[in-house]
C-alpha cells in the first residue's frame, strides 16, 4: 500500500509541476477555467479516484485521494478545488445513490475526464439554510419539471452533467428535496453568471439556471424526498476533500515561506535565524501536522465505510482555519514581497479563504461537531 501512495504522490506532484505550475498566474489573472487540464488528469486516473474499476475509475481509497488533492493544491488551489468538487460531489453522489444504469451511464465519462461534473445544492438565499431552497421539481406524468437557480456552483457553466437537489415538498418540511442528474444538453438548463472571485479564480464558479427544464423520472437519484439526507452524506466525504485542499494550500505556503526565510538576509544573516520568524514557522509546522492527522483519521474511517460526520467536520474546520493562518503568516514572512504577485504566497493567501466557506462554513462545522459531541451525553 505504501508503494501505491508513493506512486500516486509522485504522479500528482510531477503533473502539477509540469502542466499546472507554469500557468497558474496566467489562469488566475484571466480567470480561465483550463478544461483541457482535467481531460489530461482523467487519463492519469485523477478524475475518478474513488470510482471502482468496473466503472472506469482508479478504484483507490481516501488516503490516495487526499494525496492527489494535496499535491495539486500545493501548486494551485483552483485546480485542487475543481478536482475535489468533481470527485467528491458529482461523482460521489452518483456513486453512493445512483442505480446500476445511472452508474454505467455517467461514471465512465466522468472518471475518464471526458465529462466534467457539477453539483448543485446552494442558492442565493439558501446557503446554510438549504431546507428553504427555492429551486423546485414538480412531477408531471413520467417527467419532472425543474425551475429555479443554483448559485456558487463549481463548473456551473462548463460542467457536462450536474447532480441537482431541488425542492419537491413544502418549504422547510421534512424530506422536502430530491436529487436529479441533469445533462448540459437538456433544454431549459443554462449556465448563468460567472463569479468574479477573490481567489480560486481558475476554478469556475457560476449559476445554474433551470427554466421549465423537463427531465425523465429515470434521472432521479434515489427516493423522492431523500435529496437532503443524501446531500449530508455526500458532504461528509466532500468536507474531507476540502480539508485536503486546505492542507495542500497550507503546505505550499509554508514551504515557500520556509525556503524564503533561509534565502532572505537582513542584518547580515538569514531571517530564519531570528526568533520572531523561526517561532512563526514552528507554529505553522505544528498546526499543519495537527490538521493532517485529523484528515488521515477521517480518511481511514471513510475507507472502512464507517460514520465520519464528526471527524470530517473537525478535519475540514481545523484544516481550513489553519490554511488561512499559515497563508497569512507566510505573507508576513515574505514582507513586502509577499504582497506582490511576483511571489507565490499572495495567491495562497487569497485561495485559502474559500476553504472556510465552501461545503459548509466554519460556523456550520462547529454546529455539526457540537451536535455530534453532545449527542453522546
Amino acid at each position: 500500500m505504501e508503494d501505491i501512495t508513493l506512486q500516486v504522490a509522485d504522479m500528482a506532484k510531477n503533473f502539477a509541476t509540469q502542466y499546472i505550475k507554469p500557468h497558474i498566474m496566467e489562469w488566475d489573472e484571466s480567470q480561465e477555467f483550463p478544461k483541457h487540464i482535467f481531460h489530461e488528469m482523467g487519463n492519469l486516473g485523477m478524475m475518478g479516484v474513488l470510482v471502482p474499476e468496473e466503472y472506469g475509475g482508479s478504484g483507490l481509497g481516501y488516503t490516495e485521494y487526499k494525496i492527489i488533492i494535496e499535491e495539486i493544491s500545493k501548486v494551485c488551489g483552483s485546480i485542487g478545488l475543481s478536482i475535489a468538487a468533481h470527485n467528491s460531489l458529482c461523482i460521489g453522489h452518483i456513486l453512493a445513490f445512483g442505480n446500476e444504469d445511472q452508474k454505467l451511464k455517467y461514471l465512465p465519462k466522468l472518471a475518464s475526464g471526458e465529462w466534467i461534473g457539477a453539483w448543485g445544492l446552494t442558492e442565493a438565499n439558501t446557503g446554510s439554510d438549504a431546507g428553504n431552497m427555492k429551486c423546485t421539481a414538480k412531477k408531471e406524468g413520467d417527467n419532472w419539471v425543474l425551475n429555479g437557480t443554483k448559485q456558487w456552483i463549481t463548473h456551473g457553466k462548463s460542467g457536462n452533467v450536474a447532480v441537482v437537489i431541488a425542492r419537491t415538498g413544502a418549504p422547510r418540511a421534512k424530506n422536502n428535496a430530491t436529487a436529479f442528474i441533469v445533462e448540459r444538453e437538456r433544454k431549459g438548463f443554462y449556465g448563468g453568471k460567472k463569479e468574479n472571485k477573490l481567489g480560486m479564480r481558475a476554478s469556475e464558479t457560476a449559476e445554474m439556471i433551470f427554466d421549465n427544464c423537463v427531465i425523465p423520472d429515470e434521472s432521479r437519484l434515489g427516493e423522492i424526498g431523500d435529496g437532503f439526507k443524501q446531500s449530508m452524506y455526500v458532504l461528509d466525504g466532500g468536507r474531507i476533500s476540502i480539508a485536503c485542499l486546505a492542507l495542500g494550500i497550507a503546505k505550499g505556503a509554508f514551504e515557500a515561506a520556509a525556503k524564503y526565510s533561509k534565502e532572505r538576509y537582513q542584518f547580515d544573516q538569514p531571517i530564519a535565524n531570528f526568533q520572531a520568524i523561526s517561532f512563526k514557522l514552528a507554529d505553522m509546522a505544528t498546526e499543519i501536522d495537527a490538521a493532517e492527522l485529523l484528515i488521515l483519521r477521517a480518511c481511514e474511517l471513510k475507507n472502512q465505510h464507517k460514520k465520519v460526520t464528526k471527524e470530517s467536520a473537525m478535519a475540514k474546520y481545523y484544516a481550513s482555519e489553519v490554511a488561512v493562518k499559515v497563508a497569512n503568516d507566510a505573507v508576513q514572512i515574505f514582507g513586502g514581497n509577499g504582497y506582490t504577485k511576483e511571489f507565490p504566497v499572495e495567491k495562497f493567501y487569497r485561495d485559502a479563504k474559500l476553504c472556510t466557506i465552501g461545503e459548509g462554513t466554519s460556523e456550520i462545522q462547529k454546529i455539526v461537531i457540537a451536535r455530534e459531541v453532545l449527542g453522546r451525553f
Side-chain angles (χ1 to χ4, degrees), residues 93-100 102-103 139 144 163-165 168 177-181 216-231:
H93 204 134
I94 296 171
L95 189 59
F97 299 104
N99 57 39
E100 191 64 16
Q102 290 167 334
K103 290 178 183 178
K139 189 83 184 293
W144 292 85
V163 173
V164 180
I165 297 85
T168 49
T178 304
F180 302 90
I181 304 173
D217 188 55
E218 65 192 38
S219 296
R220 174 169 47 85
L221 275 163
E223 298 302 316
I224 297 171
D226 281 354
F228 189 72
K229 287 188 288 187
Q230 291 175 8
S231 298

Side-chain angles (χ1 to χ4, degrees), residues 320-334:
S320 63
E321 295 292 340
V322 164
V324 171
K325 182 178 183 298
V326 167
N328 180 63
D329 287 344
V331 171
Q332 196 70 21
I333 289 170
F334 270 78

Side-chain angles (χ1 to χ4, degrees), residues 51-71:
V51 176
E53 292 180 18
E54 59 262 37
Y55 300 118
S58 300
L60 298 174
Y62 266 79
T63 306
E64 292 77 27
Y65 183 40
K66 165 203 173 278
I67 290 168
I68 288 171
I69 295 177
E70 176 188 334
E71 289 295 337

Side-chain angles (χ1 to χ4, degrees), residues 135-182:
C135 183
T136 61
K138 294 185 178 179
K139 189 83 184 293
E140 292 188 3
D142 294 329
N143 297 319
W144 292 85
V145 181
L146 270 64
N147 280 290
T149 301
K150 295 294 180 178
Q151 192 176 33
W152 296 102
I153 308 303
T154 305
H155 314 143
K157 293 183 76 167
S158 295
N160 302 91
V161 65
V163 173
V164 180
I165 297 85
R167 183 164 55 79
T168 49
R172 299 199 190 284
K174 191 174 181 181
N175 303 325
N176 71 341
T178 304
F180 302 90
I181 304 173
V182 188

Side-chain angles (χ1 to χ4, degrees), residues 327-373:
N328 180 63
D329 287 344
V331 171
Q332 196 70 21
I333 289 170
F334 270 78
N337 285 331
Y339 204 67
T340 73
K341 292 182 182 292
E342 297 299 315
F343 293 84
V345 290
E346 68 85 28
K347 183 176 183 299
F348 288 126
Y349 182 74
R350 289 185 289 109
D351 287 349
K353 187 57 192 170
L354 181 277
C355 299
T356 69
I357 299 169
E359 295 193 35
T361 62
S362 290
E363 291 74 20
I364 288 293
Q365 303 314 310
K366 290 183 190 181
I367 291 172
V368 172
I369 295 163
R371 185 174 60 224
E372 292 293 315
V373 170

